[in-house]
Amino acid sequence: MADEPSAVPRTVTLALTGASGMPYGVRLLECLLAAQVRVYLLYSQVAQVVAKQEMDLSLPGRAREVQEFFARRFHAAEDQLRVFGREEWFAPVASGSNPADAMVICPCTMGTLAAVACGLADNLIERAADVMLKEHRPLVLVPRETPLSAIHLENMLRLSRAGAVILPANPGFYHHPAGVEDLVDFVVARVLDQLRIPHRLMARWGEAEPDSEQ
Ligand SMILES: Cc1cc2nc3c(=O)[nH]c(=O)nc-3n(C[C@H](O)[C@H](O)[C@H](O)COP(=O)(O)O)c2cc1C
């Protein structure tokens, strides 16, 4: 548990759901592990489909295999990464007695966003998010959809009022991105800022080179 609300989280729950934008989620996982954060990783079934579609990433079917896959890929320390299946109700994240210090759903579908807004808690992602809200711990959702319906907007407002941070996957262009990786890092940097995790993904506003034209 973090010592105080503003402390850097030692443990973060990261949920990947089946929205476009899987590179944001995978890059965020890489950055969290590189920052020595302990990560509980959750993923929906459609997240596997999108990972294949967008990144040609074949996530194994079993949580333990996904754990080995990402731990190897991102050189995680032993026990730094734990992956849980959608109905592993005995995972720490399922209970308010042992939640992570913060949680991020990235990318976040409108379906999962709606389920969290309604408190459904029907799978481990929804339950873990529900726990964060009831325990008043940081919950960041990175939704990706366009255009947004009144239902989407109402759900986001509801979550925001309940204490969640809605951080849409909207990269800016004022830092003159050289490519897709810079756009991904823009969004991931904003998520890390919310978590108060130090990073050097991109220059901060007002700290760019004097001759740049931000
Ligand atoms: C390739 C692909 C891209 C998708 N992109 C989005 C998206 O950007 N936003 C969204 O809300 N749903 C998107 N969907 C639909 C969701 O995956 C679908 O509603 C799913 O039931 C959500 O389940 P989940 O929240 O458990 O992952 C996409 C589906 C696929 C297969």
Side-chain angles (χ1 to χ4, degrees), residues 29-89:
L29 174 63
E30 180 180 13
C31 292
L32 290 172
L33 293 172
Q36 313 301 320
V37 173
R38 191 155 191 256
V39 179
Y40 295 144
L41 181 68
L42 317 176
Y43 59 98
S44 72
Q45 269 181 336
V46 190
Q48 288 179 285
V49 177
V50 178
K52 181 70 183 162
Q53 166 76 15
E54 296 191 332
M55 304 181 74
D56 204 20
L57 201 61
S58 299
L59 293 182
R62 293 166 195 261
R64 296 298 172 268
E65 292 168 7
V66 173
Q67 184 171 304
E68 284 166 24
F69 174 83
F70 279 125
R72 204 176 317 122
R73 185 180 175 113
F74 295 136
H75 313 291
E78 202 175 339
D79 292 335
Q80 193 189 357
L81 174 65
R82 293 181 68 187
V83 182
F84 299 104
R86 56 179 276 119
E87 296 200 348
E88 277 196 57
W89 300 113

Side-chain angles (χ1 to χ4, degrees), residues 10-211:
R10 287 195 283 259
T11 305
V12 171
T13 302
L14 170 60
L16 311 172
T17 67
S20 183
M22 197 55 60
Y24 299 120
V26 173
R27 177 71 167 141
L28 179 59
L29 174 63
E30 180 180 13
C31 292
L32 290 172
L33 293 172
Q36 313 301 320
V37 173
R38 191 155 191 256
V39 179
Y40 295 144
L41 181 68
L42 317 176
Y43 59 98
S44 72
Q45 269 181 336
V46 190
Q48 288 179 285
V49 177
V50 178
K52 181 70 183 162
Q53 166 76 15
E54 296 191 332
M55 304 181 74
D56 204 20
L57 201 61
S58 299
L59 293 182
R62 293 166 195 261
R64 296 298 172 268
E65 292 168 7
V66 173
Q67 184 171 304
E68 284 166 24
F69 174 83
F70 279 125
R72 204 176 317 122
R73 185 180 175 113
F74 295 136
H75 313 291
E78 202 175 339
D79 292 335
Q80 193 189 357
L81 174 65
R82 293 181 68 187
V83 182
F84 299 104
R86 56 179 276 119
E87 296 200 348
E88 277 196 57
W89 300 113
F90 290 97
V93 297
S95 168
S97 68
N98 196 15
D101 299 319
M103 176 171 179
V104 184
I105 307 179
C106 176
C108 183
T109 63
M110 292 303 119
T112 290
L113 189 142
V116 177
C118 293
L120 293 191
D122 201 31
N123 59 48
L124 192 58
I125 294 175
E126 295 167 15
R127 170 62 184 167
D130 203 46
V131 166
M132 300 311 279
L133 292 177
K134 84 183 177 76
E135 300 294 334
H136 298 279
R137 292 195 177 212
L139 171 64
V140 180
L141 290 87
V142 184
R144 213 285 340 162
E145 187 53 275
T146 196
L148 296 165
S149 71
I151 293 171
H152 299 149
L153 292 165
E154 282 181 359
N155 285 335
M156 288 186 207
L157 179 59
R158 196 168 191 196
L159 283 165
S160 179
R161 286 185 169 147
V165 171
I166 306 296
L167 196 156
N170 288 355
F173 288 82
Y174 51 77
H175 63 312
H176 299 166
V180 173
E181 287 180 8
D182 286 354
L183 294 170
V184 170
D185 278 359
F186 183 101
V187 172
V188 172
R190 295 288 80 79
V191 176
L192 294 171
D193 287 347
Q194 285 296 321
L195 300 176
R196 297 184 166 79
I197 293 174
H199 65 85
R200 300 178 61 83
L201 292 185
M202 54 179 291
R204 290 179 185 281
W205 186 260
E207 292 177 6
E209 296 295 322
D211 60 345

